[in-house]
Amino acid sequence: MSVAPEVTESSTYVGQSIPRKEDGRLTQGQGVFVDDMKRHNMGYIHFVRSPYAHARIVSVDVTAALEAPGVFGTLTGDEVAILTEPFFQIAPAPGGNIKDYALAVGRARFVGDPVAAVVASTRELARDASELIEIEYDVLEPVVDARTATDPRTPLIHEEVGSNESWSGTYDWGDVDGAFAEADHVVSIGELHFDRFNSTPLELDAALVEYNRGTGQWTIHCNNQFPGFAVIMMGPSIGVGLDKLRMVTQDIGGGFGNKITSHPQLVACCLLARKLNRPVQWTETRTDFHQSMSHGNERWFQDVEVAVKSDGTMLGFRCKALDDAGAYLRYEPLGGAIWVQVAPGMYGWRNIRVEYSQVVTNKAPVSPNRGYSRMQHLWLCERIVDIVAHELELDPIAVRKLNYVQPEQMPYETPSGCVYDSGDYPRALDSVLELIGYEGIEARRADAKARGKLLGFGIGSTLDSGTNNFAQSTYLNPDLQFSGNSEVATVKLDIFGEVVVTLGTTPQGQGHETTTSQVVADIVGCSTDAVTVRVGHDSYWNSHAGFSGTYASQFAVSGLGAVKGAADGLAAQMRQLAALVLGAQPEDIELGGGFAKLRANPEVALPFMALGAIVNVNNANLPEDFDATMNVRHVYRPHFEPLDLERKFGNLTLTYAMQIHACVLEIDPETGVYEVVDYAVIDDCGNRINPQIVEGQVMGATAHALGAATWETFAYDEEGNLLTPNFYDYHVPHALDMPPLKTGAIESPSPFSALGTKGMGEGGGAGIHAVCAALQDALRSVGGGIVHDSHNPYHRVFAMLQDPAAARADVKVENA
Amino acid sequence: MNVEGTREFDASRERVWAIISDPAGMAGLMPGVDGFEIIDPTHWRAKVKVPLGLGGLKMTMDFEQLEERPLEFASMRGKGKGMGAMMDMTTSFTLSGEGDHTHMAWEADVKLAGVLASMGQRVLQPIINQQVEGIMSALEQQLASPA
Amino acid sequence: MIKRMLLREVEYARPESVEEAVRLLGAHDGARALAGGQTLVNVMKARAASPEVLVDLADLDELRTIGRAADGALELGAMVTYSELVRSPDVTAARPLLAEVAATIADRQVQNRGTVGGNVCVNDPTNHLPPLFAAMGATFTILGPGGERSVTAEEFFLGVYMTAVSEGDLLTRVTIPALAAGSADAMEGITLGVHGTYLASAAVAVSPGAVRIALGCVAGVPERATAVEQRLAGAELTPENVRAAVAGLGDTLDPPSDVHAPADYRRRLTEVVCERAVLAAATRAKG
Amino acid sequence: MSEPSDSRTISVEINGTTFEREVAARRLLVHFIRDDLDLTGTHIGCDTGNCGACTVQLDGLAVKSCMMLAVQADGASIRTVEGLASDDGELTPLQRAFTAHHALQCGYCTPGMLMSATTLLEQNPRPSEHEVRAALQGNICRCTGYWNIIEAVQAAAEEVSAP
């Protein structure tokens, strides 16, 4: 029997689950990941990292290491401080005064902070030599709790800032005080905590860097997923123009945002390639990654107050948000603005005030992680709904439906000026309830009870906002000159009629080669097999723009928007040429099946090969004014209106996909151990180019959420040691840990994107919300503990079982 | 990590004190001491090999006497550096008791950095307990033998 | 200091007889036996340990056998892998629980390489076999320069990563008495994920009139719950009796805290898994 | 006699070809395969033997090549992902099922997954869903959540076992 997915009878490739073009090489071990590449005489880099969370670097002595066998050279923080400028800071002063370099200069600020680097002829010899680098530290008191970071007795991490606060600002929309005056109930929650974790892509950060002495140009083979951002950081630091930094990616083994901020290591690699005049290679270890790379934003929500009408309608909320950025601001404080994309969650709340502040701590720097900054805030919104429902004894499902933005309100402008493009949230909720079999939930609860288990049911609803308006950065720093977004694609017709597509993106498993070929094949009129999509990103291809990369749920809009623009352009040129050759008008020409045909008489046709050849190698007879190149570069730019910085108001993202998750779990009341026993997800990301790929993203993000909800955490001790520094203690769920899953989809096309698509891939955070909701539901019958943390290991659940009063002590209801 | 405990000895405080206040005496009690060197009256250095089945954890420990009230109280700080671990330990002993009986209360504040600190939390406490047990048993044994 | 993944220089030998292995282990300071390597190689990658000489036991076929002694006791060569335990008819006949537990150690790949001898010689408090063997009343046969000796579990496990196998010694065999009529074993644990690292574990062997209980994860060695054993000796193993006997067990323990389980929680878990293991063993013994 | 030494000449058969190389005693099997033999389909994703990206078949059993020294593989027969398809490029049912069921995204864990799953189907041609999950437990995937992988393995088993 055939195991191929069913291809429906359809005139288009778009909308079908065609098998992926990428899979042939990846299932045969023929993918090319960075660590697979070798160069003659290359050196292996080993970073020596600080074992202390906070320490003055008294001295670094590389003498013995330089004499060790096979060693080519070293790099120290002192050299880096001479050779480079500190990285550009997004934050305004004083947070922007932070001096961040490729290696720690003068002070180590987290366990794993790279202090020196050594290069040798083999991996083992580099590692051996690293033990000979003598570093003297003067250990300082570490700052590990964001809540005490600004206490005057707490040591400063960056003295040039004058405080451990890196950024703060108040967001105030609607009439918050009025809403509270109008409320029948005010529900308050003392403190909620969104935990620190990340998506731990299986491939680690890596680079192979070559330096061309003659041209002063570096070729950086790497797996950075946002090369546009990386070079903006690297160029000014090294003091070179961006064309000197040729960024090349091929297959990337997962990214999830975590591979955006490798620029400090890439700069160190560049300096070493130049200094040692040889190719150098760096591959991070798992422990390096956990200790130093891209933790998700840990966030505290304090003094949360919600204004509620007696029927459960919520008028809005106010709170403080305290973000723990870790030791350096590598992409931060952007997290301080990004959440505004989804300020009211999926709800019609009009009055919101958030006093946001961000502090630095002696932990690994935070950087984007799947659902970046929105996930934290959406978790807060979902916690608000479930806690309010619990306290006022309302049905969380009814409260959601009552408070959701309604389909007839679409497109909907939120209090912060963001525009939710389309969707039917109540319908999606009904769909997920049907998938999970909600009508039988009480029978299942009774069955669980008979087995001594506490059953819990919970919903998590979430938005997956995509295609950023980078002007959001000016909420943080009005002097920044960023706005809009951009992505590039080039589509050309080669001499033998092959359609070749070059992207600016850096896919890490999202199947861009496949979905691109579907869009192009439909427009140009050929099969997807006839479309070659180049693997990865290469800035020499000149098919990129300032925001090129793969991050923040945008490919289906920005990437495919660029692809469509370029393919439309090429198709127009092909019609133009065919018309010229066949003596017709371009509008008389139809493209299909690899031919340009006369609409009126399809027998009269030119194969693509002829079109490609005429322009490229047989062009003597073309008219002088014929300007088709058969090579079309298109830059996609979404339109955004200017922001109102005073009110922090305006549209920050183009599309809003959404997901609703439903979770059924059972707690063993004797131990707090729980198991997710049933799970369902509904996704709506507008038109789907390839439904199977979309479903794959939904599944993967769900798995991340389930991992983060129960097992995955970057936990630190009081000394700033990371207690989960690799997969031994950082438990990533495996095949036996996964519950049964049902998925379903709704398509609400976006009115704002070229293909009716919405970017997606980050909606999985809803799994965290759903598990929290289900735990709280299960605890209802045994004292009503309130879930305060996004991460609930068994011992935390046990504590809520043991002392429910403590677990709800800071939750209060005031009635008007 | 803070650990503490008490121990009773059938010996006079003078005898207990004589051993624990003498760096060489202390070194004699510690399990796995490979080498020992007195730098000055308040500083000494020991090469220690904690016997672990996986190959033994070698460390060079620098000790410094912090405070001493004869027959009553002694505190010291030991800083060690070895493969995969940096240790900074402050420990103190308080003695009380009359005649041929000594009550010892001890406590130690152990700070670790390096691979053991991040990966060894689960086994650290049992290892420290093993070490302390080793020291106390050795002390007991020494006290049991004729002075 | 933090970086991992690559071993220090090490010398390697692959002896062809047990005697030669013992000679090599004795002849080189810092020599260590390499069994399946599923812990040792990892620890060496982390450079948390670096033996100077590895004596690979792979070619010692006499350590790879599973047999039955005249009295029916199960004799497991130190190099028997977990996968071999799972598949062995002898194991299934003599102590079926051992096969069941072996199937839950780490994962298939580790089960294919990891060995009985490696598991007990490492004696990590979270390992499966130390408490299980302690409960089953296993004896351990050690070959050293002075000849062969056999020790009980109480004598074998000395501390975290420490056993009676000293430098120059080689564990050759673990012997486990066959289950007598009316006897049965059980092991219960709480793990980090399905089949993950134990946060708490209890192994129990029930025989007519007696219960042996060994707890994992609470100390450097498998901890015998002797007070509970005494309370249950001769008692009918009803849920009520077992619960009463286990009550207060946690207070007698001094377990470590870590990121997954604070000490108090581990005390509680240990009581629960102890109770469940006794009841499970009792049920099997009846069955 | 076998006296200790810091390197050894080993002979290993990999995907049907015998390689004889001198290798340092401390070299991990995975680095021998990837760096010395340039068979880069076998991947590395962790330091602790948890992720399974380096899984290969050693004498017919799935093992993690990062938890073995190359010298330990002396005399062994190894199969890596590059050895799955036939010489004329025909993919195995499992490889085809991975594509058909979208069982991979970034593809980094895929070689290890395929080696674990291939071993399972050789030993147990009709595994239950639980047996599939248990066989893959030692392989971490961060993209798919495993559901499609499990489905692909079951589909391949069905295809192979179908009369």
Side-chain angles (χ1 to χ4, degrees):
Chain A
M1 64 165 275
S2 164
V3 290
E6 277 180 37
V7 177
T8 53
E9 282 296 321
S10 161
S11 57
T12 63
Y13 287 102
V14 165
Q16 299 199 52
S17 294
I18 68 163
R20 298 202 319 164
K21 290 170 95 71
E22 293 85 348
D23 291 1
R25 65 177 185 274
L26 295 172
T27 54
Q28 296 183 76
Q30 292 165 346
V32 178
F33 297 89
V34 186
D35 190 69
D36 299 344
M37 291 189 271
K38 300 175 180 71
R39 292 290 184 273
H40 183 61
N41 275 339
M42 80 179 186
Y44 292 86
I45 299 178
H46 187 102
F47 286 104
V48 181
R49 296 171 184 272
S50 171
Y52 300 109
H54 198 188
R56 207 163 56 79
I57 301 166
V58 179
S59 63
V60 179
D61 183 353
V62 297
T63 319
L66 286 172
E67 285 163 10
V71 169
F72 297 137
T74 58
L75 186 72
T76 65
D78 286 348
E79 284 174 84
V80 168
I82 293 165
L83 294 170
T84 65
E85 292 296 320
F87 291 114
F88 166 73
Q89 291 295 309
I90 292 165
N97 294 340
I98 285 178
K99 288 191 168 42
D100 181 17
Y101 290 95
L103 293 175
V105 173
R107 197 191 281 219
R109 293 184 171 89
F110 61 96
V111 170
D113 203 354
V115 175
V118 58
V119 183
S121 58
T122 70
R123 298 176 203 265
E124 288 92 344
L125 290 172
R127 174 75 181 83
D128 289 350
S130 73
E131 293 188 339
L132 300 173
I133 296 181
E134 284 289 331
I135 303 169
E136 195 188 328
Y137 294 99
D138 179 9
V139 180
L140 305 169
E141 190 190 324
V143 182
V144 289
D145 188 338
R147 293 168 296 176
T148 56
T150 52
D151 184 304
R153 288 162 299 186
T154 301
L156 292 181
I157 297 173
H158 297 274
E159 286 182 349
E160 54 274 32
V161 177
S163 140
N164 287 329
E165 185 175 85
S166 45
W167 187 77
S168 68
T170 295
Y171 295 87
D172 197 344
W173 301 291
D175 174 10
V176 174
D177 296 336
F180 277 87
E182 199 189 318
D184 297 316
H185 312 281
V186 174
V187 177
S188 62
I189 311 150
E191 185 173 270
L192 297 166
H193 176 241
F194 192 91
D195 198 41
R196 185 178 263 257
F197 68 96
N198 75 13
S199 299
T200 62
L202 203 53
E203 183 207 23
L204 294 149
D205 291 88
L208 168 64
V209 178
E210 300 170 276
Y211 181 66
N212 183 327
R213 238 160 224 249
T215 59
Q217 201 150 23
W218 284 272
T219 302
I220 301 157
H221 300 273
C222 64
N223 50 19
N224 185 289
Q225 67 179 100
F226 191 174
F229 175 79
V231 293
I232 287 175
M233 287 289 152
M234 294 165 67
S237 168
I238 306 179
V240 296
L242 299 196
D243 198 51
K244 298 292 187 208
L245 301 167
R246 177 184 174 192
M247 299 289 279
V248 186
T249 70
Q250 289 203 41
D251 290 306
I252 299 180
F256 316 113
N258 302 161
K259 283 177 176 153
I260 289 177
T261 52
S262 58
H263 56 272
Q265 283 76 15
L266 296 182
V267 165
C269 293
C270 287
L271 297 180
L272 281 161
R274 182 174 68 184
K275 177 178 175 178
L276 306 177
N277 195 25
R278 68 170 67 234
V280 294
Q281 192 274 1
W282 162 66
T283 302
E284 187 180 53
T285 69
R286 175 57 53 192
T287 305
D288 291 342
F289 173 85
H290 281 223
Q291 287 184 329
S292 66
M293 195 61 81
S294 223
H295 288 192
N297 294 51
E298 181 180 359
R299 195 170 293 168
W300 301 89
F301 299 99
Q302 298 168 318
D303 305 330
V304 181
E305 292 182 306
V306 192
V308 194
K309 298 291 286 180
S310 53
D311 67 347
T313 303
M314 291 176 229
L315 304 172
F317 69 91
R318 58 191 173 204
C319 72
K320 295 181 188 132
L322 173 63
D323 204 60
D324 178 346
Y328 297 98
L329 309 180
R330 297 266 155 90
Y331 200 80
E332 294 305 313
L334 279 179
I338 300 264
W339 64 270
V340 177
Q341 295 168 11
V342 296
M346 284 165 65
Y347 304 101
W349 304 338
R350 301 301 308 173
N351 310 290
I352 296 172
R353 183 190 301 143
V354 176
E355 292 167 52
Y356 182 98
S357 69
Q358 184 185 65
V359 296
V360 288
T361 57
N362 291 114
K363 302 195 248 184
V366 304
S367 298
N369 177 57
R370 196 174 209 167
Y372 177 42
S373 191
R374 292 101 83 210
M375 176 167 49
Q376 288 80 346
H377 185 76
L378 290 160
W379 177 76
L380 167 71
C381 294
E382 293 296 286
R383 280 286 75 220
I384 283 175
V385 169
D386 283 304
I387 293 171
V388 166
H390 184 278
E391 294 305 306
L392 301 181
E393 293 175 9
L394 299 167
D395 172 13
I397 291 169
V399 171
R400 280 191 169 79
K401 283 191 181 165
L402 182 67
N403 282 276
Y404 277 154
V405 173
Q406 299 299 312
E408 59 275 14
Q409 294 174 285
M410 297 291 179
Y412 173 80
E413 186 182 82
T414 72
S416 77
C418 289
V419 180
Y420 294 177
D421 50 345
S422 65
D424 185 340
Y425 305 159
R427 177 183 158 214
L429 180 51
D430 283 335
S431 300
V432 83
L433 293 175
E434 196 181 320
L435 263 189
I436 198 103
Y438 181 67
E439 73 286 350
I441 204 71
E442 289 312 318
R444 287 157 85 175
R445 201 189 296 275
D447 170 65
K449 196 176 173 194
R451 288 180 283 109
K453 298 286 173 65
L454 299 167
L455 183 136
F457 174 80
I459 292 290
S461 35
T462 205
L463 291 167
D464 189 353
S465 48
T467 307
N468 279 310
N469 172 7
F470 277 87
Q472 62 201 338
S473 60
T474 56
Y475 281 174
L476 309 161
N477 182 352
D479 292 338
L480 293 177
Q481 301 296 313
F482 296 120
S483 72
N485 201 323
S486 57
E487 192 50 274
V488 182
T490 307
V491 183
K492 69 170 177 172
L493 187 68
D494 250 341
I495 295 171
F496 295 125
E498 195 181 16
V499 180
V500 178
V501 188
T502 311
L503 302 173
T505 58
T506 55
Q508 317 115 36
Q510 297 89 342
H512 290 185
E513 291 163 49
T514 305
T515 48
T516 294
S517 75
Q518 291 177 265
V519 170
V520 171
D522 282 350
I523 293 171
V524 174
C526 60
S527 79
T528 50
D529 291 339
V531 180
T532 296
V533 183
R534 288 173 168 172
V535 181
H537 171 111
D538 186 338
S539 46
Y540 262 27
W541 290 336
N542 200 27
S543 185
H544 66 284
F547 293 121
S548 276
T550 297
Y551 55 92
S553 296
Q554 61 183 32
F555 181 72
V557 174
S558 62
L560 290 181
V563 166
K564 180 177 187 301
D568 283 340
L570 177 67
Q573 292 191 355
M574 289 163 73
R575 281 193 208 98
Q576 183 192 350
L577 177 60
L580 185 76
V581 173
L582 300 176
Q585 292 303 310
E587 52 272 24
D588 299 334
I589 306 292
E590 184 179 61
L591 301 173
F595 287 88
K597 300 173 257 194
L598 267 186
R599 232 179 260 280
N601 182 7
E603 296 293 299
V604 180
L606 281 171
F608 283 8
M609 181 172 161
L611 299 176
I614 288 169
V615 166
N616 286 292
V617 295
N618 191 9
N619 49 32
N621 297 323
L622 287 173
E624 248 177 89
D625 62 350
F626 183 83
D627 60 358
T629 58
M630 297 297 152
N631 188 349
V632 180
R633 178 180 190 268
H634 183 83
V635 182
Y636 172 82
R637 283 187 216 96
H639 176 73
F640 291 105
E641 297 294 329
L643 303 181
D644 176 344
L645 297 188
E646 201 59 36
R647 292 165 56 212
K648 297 196 175 78
F649 185 92
N651 193 15
L652 304 183
T653 27
L654 198 68
T655 64
Y656 284 84
M658 66 108 240
Q659 284 183 18
I660 302 186
H661 292 220
C663 170
V664 183
L665 54 74
E666 291 181 3
I667 304 177
D668 170 1
E670 291 198 308
T671 60
V673 173
Y674 60 96
E675 185 188 356
V676 175
V677 295
D678 202 4
Y679 205 91
V681 184
I682 288 288
D683 174 76
D684 182 354
C685 63
N687 291 340
R688 293 171 300 165
I689 305 296
N690 185 317
Q692 198 177 43
I693 288 179
V694 166
E695 189 196 33
Q697 289 292 318
V698 171
M699 290 173 155
T702 299
H704 281 179
L706 295 176
T710 307
W711 298 290
E712 298 182 41
T713 173
F714 288 130
Y716 284 84
D717 71 7
E718 289 172 0
E719 305 303 321
N721 293 303
L722 177 61
L723 301 177
T724 48
N726 48 49
F727 288 152
Y728 190 77
D729 282 306
Y730 189 97
H731 176 73
V732 169
H734 51 62
L736 282 171
D737 289 327
M738 282 294 133
L741 174 71
K742 305 178 193 86
T743 65
I746 295 174
E747 291 189 333
S748 308
S750 174
F752 303 144
S753 68
L755 295 156
T757 50
K758 303 181 183 190
M760 62 85 59
E762 299 185 271
I768 300 175
H769 322 331
V771 170
C772 288
L775 284 171
Q776 188 169 295
D777 180 52
L779 294 170
R780 211 151 40 101
S781 64
V782 286
I786 293 293
V787 173
H788 283 72
D789 207 294
S790 65
H791 176 61
N792 291 285
Y794 308 142
H795 66 83
R796 190 163 284 151
V797 174
F798 187 69
M800 290 189 277
L801 284 160
Q802 288 294 100
D803 193 350
R808 43 175 300 108
D810 73 346
V811 179
K812 295 189 176 58
V813 180
E814 271 181 51
N815 301 313
Chain B
M1 172 180 290
N2 274 297
V3 283
E4 55 181 34
T6 59
R7 190 92 171 190
E8 310 299 323
F9 298 102
D10 291 327
S12 67
R13 266 205 263 174
E14 286 76 8
R15 286 193 62 206
V16 174
W17 182 258
I19 297 171
I20 64 167
S21 61
D22 169 22
M26 270 307 283
L29 300 177
M30 290 166 61
V33 172
D34 266 358
F36 178 74
E37 158 190 18
I38 293 183
I39 295 162
D40 65 44
T42 56
H43 291 86
W44 60 98
R45 173 175 296 163
K47 284 198 189 328
V48 185
K49 185 177 172 194
V50 181
L52 294 178
L54 297 171
L57 177 68
K58 289 180 192 167
M59 258 198 179
T60 302
M61 295 282 302
D62 281 303
F63 290 98
E64 181 193 3
Q65 191 181 76
L66 296 176
E67 195 186 337
E68 184 175 291
R69 295 196 301 275
L71 303 182
E72 274 178 22
F73 179 83
S75 67
M76 63 182 179
R77 181 169 183 185
K79 284 188 177 180
K81 195 174 167 184
M83 194 193 313
M86 272 66 60
M87 176 156 50
D88 186 347
M89 168 181 85
T90 307
T91 177
S92 65
F93 304 91
T94 308
L95 302 183
S96 57
E98 299 298 328
D100 279 347
H101 183 83
T102 303
H103 171 86
M104 176 192 282
W106 57 268
E107 58 179 86
D109 179 21
V110 184
K111 287 183 180 171
L112 276 175
V115 56
L116 258 190
S118 47
M119 290 192 69
Q121 297 275 318
R122 195 184 66 249
V123 290
L124 207 60
Q125 192 187 326
I127 290 176
I128 291 173
N129 286 345
Q130 273 161 230
Q131 293 301 301
V132 171
E133 182 54 34
I135 292 174
M136 294 300 168
S137 301
L139 180 56
E140 206 162 60
Q141 227 164 40
Q142 237 184 72
L143 292 169
S145 62
Chain C
M1 276 151 219
I2 296 302
K3 185 88 179 197
R4 298 163 214 293
M5 214 34 211
L6 297 159
L7 291 72
R8 279 210 184 73
E9 284 274 17
V10 66
E11 294 192 30
Y12 173 86
R14 190 150 155 183
E16 279 156 21
S17 71
V18 170
E19 293 69 30
E20 197 190 343
V22 171
R23 182 187 64 76
L24 286 165
L25 287 167
H28 299 275
D29 197 29
R32 200 186 183 289
L34 172 62
Q38 302 300 284
T39 301
L40 183 60
V41 174
N42 276 334
V43 171
M44 291 176 70
K45 283 193 286 194
R47 297 199 172 191
S50 60
E52 275 139 54
V53 176
L54 288 175
V55 178
D56 187 353
L57 310 179
D59 288 345
L60 308 182
D61 290 341
E62 59 264 58
L63 302 189
R64 292 201 169 275
T65 57
I66 300 177
R68 302 291 293 269
D71 64 354
L74 187 62
E75 297 191 317
L76 304 173
M79 286 293 284
V80 167
T81 65
Y82 312 138
S83 293
E84 287 161 353
L85 291 179
V86 173
R87 289 194 300 263
S88 163
D90 281 325
V91 172
T92 307
R95 292 305 282 232
L97 181 74
L98 183 50
E100 291 170 31
V101 170
T104 68
I105 298 178
D107 51 55
R108 288 290 178 272
Q109 294 96 313
V110 170
Q111 288 163 21
N112 286 335
R113 296 285 304 168
T115 64
V116 168
N119 194 295
V120 295
C121 286
V122 166
N123 190 30
D124 187 290
T126 64
N127 276 5
H128 293 59
L129 299 184
L132 184 56
F133 284 168
M136 288 178 165
T139 53
F140 301 79
T141 303
I142 300 166
L143 187 64
E148 195 176 83
R149 62 190 194 278
S150 283
V151 299
T152 63
E154 285 72 17
E155 296 160 332
F156 183 81
F157 298 110
L158 301 180
V160 178
Y161 308 149
M162 284 163 64
T163 67
V165 180
S166 354
E167 286 188 16
D169 283 346
L170 181 65
L171 174 73
T172 55
R173 185 167 79 244
V174 180
T175 306
I176 301 159
L179 271 184
S183 303
D185 309 314
M187 188 161 187
E188 292 285 331
I190 302 294
T191 56
L192 187 59
V194 177
H195 295 184
T197 309
Y198 272 141
L199 307 182
S201 68
V204 171
V206 166
S207 54
V211 177
R212 277 176 72 99
I213 302 170
L215 310 171
C217 305
V218 291
V221 296
E223 181 116 337
R224 284 284 295 282
T226 44
V228 181
E229 291 177 4
Q230 280 159 17
R231 286 196 281 271
L232 289 172
E236 202 190 335
L237 299 179
T238 61
E240 298 71 31
N241 285 347
V242 174
R243 176 153 293 195
V246 170
L249 168 66
D251 295 338
T252 68
L253 305 170
D254 181 21
S257 288
D258 69 6
V259 62
H260 311 298
D264 273 343
Y265 180 59
R266 214 182 284 271
R267 285 190 181 92
R268 172 64 193 152
L269 290 183
T270 304
E271 287 185 356
V272 172
V273 295
C274 181
E275 182 183 328
R276 289 177 182 175
V278 173
L279 288 173
T283 305
R284 283 172 176 234
K286 274 186 232 149
Chain D
M1 285 315 283
S2 163
E3 284 312 306
S5 71
D6 58 13
S7 71
R8 247 174 116 92
T9 301
I10 62 169
S11 172
V12 186
E13 188 204 307
I14 301 190
N15 303 330
T17 306
T18 301
F19 296 90
E20 205 170 277
R21 296 285 165 98
E22 173 155 351
V23 57
R26 63 164 154 170
R27 191 120 188 133
L28 294 170
L29 177 59
V30 68
H31 286 137
F32 176 72
I33 291 170
R34 286 180 51 78
D35 292 351
D36 297 357
L37 304 183
D38 216 15
L39 290 166
T40 53
T42 300
H43 294 153
I44 299 173
C46 74
D47 322 341
T48 46
N50 291 88
C51 84
C54 65
T55 301
V56 300
Q57 254 186 4
L58 183 104
D59 294 330
L61 295 177
V63 304
K64 292 176 178 171
S65 61
C66 79
M67 282 203 285
M68 266 188 84
L69 306 176
V71 289
Q72 287 179 277
D74 188 16
S77 172
I78 288 173
R79 196 174 178 204
T80 69
V81 67
E82 289 93 339
L84 289 178
S86 70
D87 288 343
D88 56 12
E90 196 194 333
L91 302 187
T92 65
L94 203 50
Q95 285 173 307
R96 282 186 274 116
F98 264 53
T99 295
H101 294 270
H102 191 33
L104 64 150
Q105 292 179 26
C106 79
Y108 197 77
C109 75
T110 308
M113 282 288 178
L114 285 168
M115 298 318 293
S116 285
T118 298
T119 312
L120 168 71
L121 296 186
E122 285 170 3
Q123 294 174 348
N124 180 0
R126 289 305 296 267
S128 67
E129 184 191 324
H130 180 81
E131 286 169 332
V132 172
R133 286 176 182 248
L136 302 178
Q137 185 210 342
N139 293 78
I140 291 177
C141 171
R142 294 262 56 184
C143 294
T144 66
Y146 308 99
W147 293 283
N148 283 346
I149 298 176
I150 296 160
E151 196 178 292
V153 176
Q154 288 180 301
E158 234 167 82
E159 183 190 339
V160 171
S161 307

